Amino acid sequence: MRAADAIVKALEYEGVEHIFGIPGGAIIEVYDALYDSNIEHILTRHEQAAVHAADGYARATGKTGVAFATSGPGATNTVTGIATAYMDSSPLVVMTGQVPRSMIGNDAFQEADTTGITMPITKHNYLVTDEKELLKTVREAFHIASTGRPGPVLIDLPKDVTVADVEFNYPVEIELPGYKPKLKGHPKQIRKAAELIVKSERPIILAGGGVILSNACEELRKLAEAIPAFVVTTLMGKGSIPETHPLSLGFIGMHGSKYANYAVMDSDLIIAVGCRFSDRTTGKVSEFAPEAKIIHIDVDPAEIGKNVRVDVPIVGDAKLVLSELVKYVKYKQRKEWEEKVNSWREKYPLKYKQEGDVIKPQYVIEKIYELKPDAIVATEVGQNQMWAAQFFKVERARQFISSGGLGTMGFGFPAAMGAQVAFPDKTVVDIAGDGSFMMNIQELATCVDYGIPVKVCILNNMFLGMVRQWQELFYDERYSETCLRCKEMSFERIAKGFGAVGMTVEKPSEVEDALKEAFEIDAPVVIDFRVERLENVYPMVPAGASLREIIDEEY
Amino acid sequence: MIELKKVIAVLVENKPGVLARVSSLFRRRGFNIDSLAVGTTDREDVSRMTIVVRGDEKTVEQVIKQLNKLIEVIKVSDLSENSVSRILALIKVSATTENRGEIIEIANIFRARIVDVARDSLIIEITGDEEKINAFTNLMRQYGIKEFVRTGIISMARGSKVVEVR
Ligand SMILES: Cc1ncc(C[n+]2csc(CCOP(=O)(O)OP(=O)(O)O)c2C)c(N)n1
Ligand SMILES: [Mg+2]
């Protein structure tokens, strides 16, 4: 069988239903094989968007996302997408074309050292140099991408390999002597953790994206209720517990609420699950939760002790460990602590004021939440992302899709597109910034082409808003190259030019109706909300400061 | 912070690109390699690297953990304590008829071997641990070192402890 056909057949065996990509000379054989397959391929308009879409698809479903690109520029265009997935541990298999084996190293037309370039941003990558290794490679790639701590895996396919004749026997056995993720937590460590929990007077659970990746949300909630302990999350952990749950305090970190940050800082025990203590979450790490002992549960041993000192490390899969841990926990009322946290919650709510006739960006998000609390929400990066995180109460895992680790502008829209492909009947919203949306705006063509009815809500402040905010607060309002004002430009007309629906909304009173109308339309819609240009995201912990130094705006 | 020097043995699958992966990891994470030696083992499909790293305790711990994350890394062992370490060095030393005997005498004391003799130079082969190589090299300086090459450290635990693929 032609190797290209074997690849497509292997993908079918792996349960792949959708692929995002763009063809080219080096990968044309694989596309030829795809022509006869039932797998649906979505032709994006940029390879970066193909990878983001596959990533959004993976984040929304839990399945491994798949993206294709050709050699050289096709492959280099995937780099931002791969790095984004890598930072957020999203399972992807990316296949790239490569020049024929005999030409590798000759600087042939459209040759790039794809495996070299992507080495530090993939969980693993392969250059297939022997067609006999091909199917084994595909099997391994899917296995590695989706197990342990998930992540992107790239397979580089020299063109002559894809036309070689191979025997199809699949699935092939996996033989990876150096890859055996440890999933079961050490019983002794689990008991030690339980002891700390029982003793603790001010316990708090810190849930990261790993809870969602390991489908451990139910176990997490049960543990929280059994202790009982308040739950804070990282940005990536949003959805690991319903944010309407009485024990949920929302997310912590640079733009987390005051009460969530105070609660972590005052705790005497942090039960951290599937998180990596990034600087955006911990603030100044040497002053992070000074009185707290830390239990750290993670499937990746390298994360434990990397950024903070840990008292009880537990290497293992969150779901397995939590379901064990809960057995040893005894319910204990901690009245004083509960009252303290609840009084903070009352005293320092997340707030903004919608007054006058200019739309506040937060207001748009609150309205989206009111109308479609069940929507899948993707965000871009910047102020829009932080307001979305603050004001959209996420109910379940895989509902909130955002580039946390890399902070990639241009991620949200194609990621929303990928999520919508997975769930054609759900409402999928991209909460966008005007700057970020422009970075993958070409995907409007894909959405129109395939009838992918993503709703893009641009919080248009005509600024690279988050950078402008830093300039306002820390650089004497010297707005160096952050103004995006362009009088003649209209996102509404751009959307219409692509054949999508476009709207412009300028008054607070029109926000709700516009959203209602958009949610009724079974087609891609772009709403350009002209919002208050100088609105800032508060509260805020200045970069490098302790979480205690959180600042708020006076109203 | 106390700087440590650790000798780490890494068993890896003998595949193209493994060395690049390991060195890329060290570069990206800012780890310092003091010395690196690679070769296949008695098994054709397994290579062994001996890496000497410098850093504080936390850094060294991260080095080991990050190495373990590489798919093609089968096993990582710390051989800093209670192990035998060897370096092989070749030194081309200036030698005249007057001092040749003296040089050979010193070489003998160090159990080094003369592997090449020319009119005005000698090549000396010496094996040993870092200290011995350094001591010998310093003694040779007075005669004039024309060329120097050494391998990275290779190491093996003493006693019954074995670094092997399980
Ligand atoms: C690809 C990329 N380039 C630059 C940045 C730096 N950056 C972070 S937020 C931001 C501004 C984003 O502007 P916009 O999308 O309009 O969002 P806003 O903050 O205004 O809501 C920039 C430039 C980034 N995160 N990603
Ligand atoms: Mg903006």
Side-chain angles (χ1 to χ4, degrees), chain A residues 3 6 15 17 79 90 115 145 154 174 181 193 200 221 252 268 335 355 371 433 439 451 473 490 510 540-541:
Chain A
E17 291 171 78
V79 167
S90 189
T115 43
L154 180 136
I174 294 170
S200 158
R221 184 180 48 75
I252 60 164
D268 68 356
K335 256 214 130 89
E355 54 185 7
L371 294 171
M439 290 203 185
L473 300 177
S490 146
E510 294 167 350
M540 173 176 196
V541 180

Side-chain angles (χ1 to χ4, degrees), chain A residues 433-435 459-465 484:
Chain A
D434 48 320
L459 307 177
N460 187 358
N461 50 16
M462 299 182 194
F463 271 118
L464 295 169
L484 296 174

Side-chain angles (χ1 to χ4, degrees), chain A residues 120 125 178 300-302 304 306, chain B residues 21 28 58 62 65 69 73:
Chain A
N125 65 15
D300 180 358
I304 296 177
K306 188 181 81 178
Chain B
R21 258 180 234 288
R28 174 163 78 97
K58 207 177 134 189
Q62 267 296 308
K65 284 177 166 176
K69 277 178 74 167
V73 167

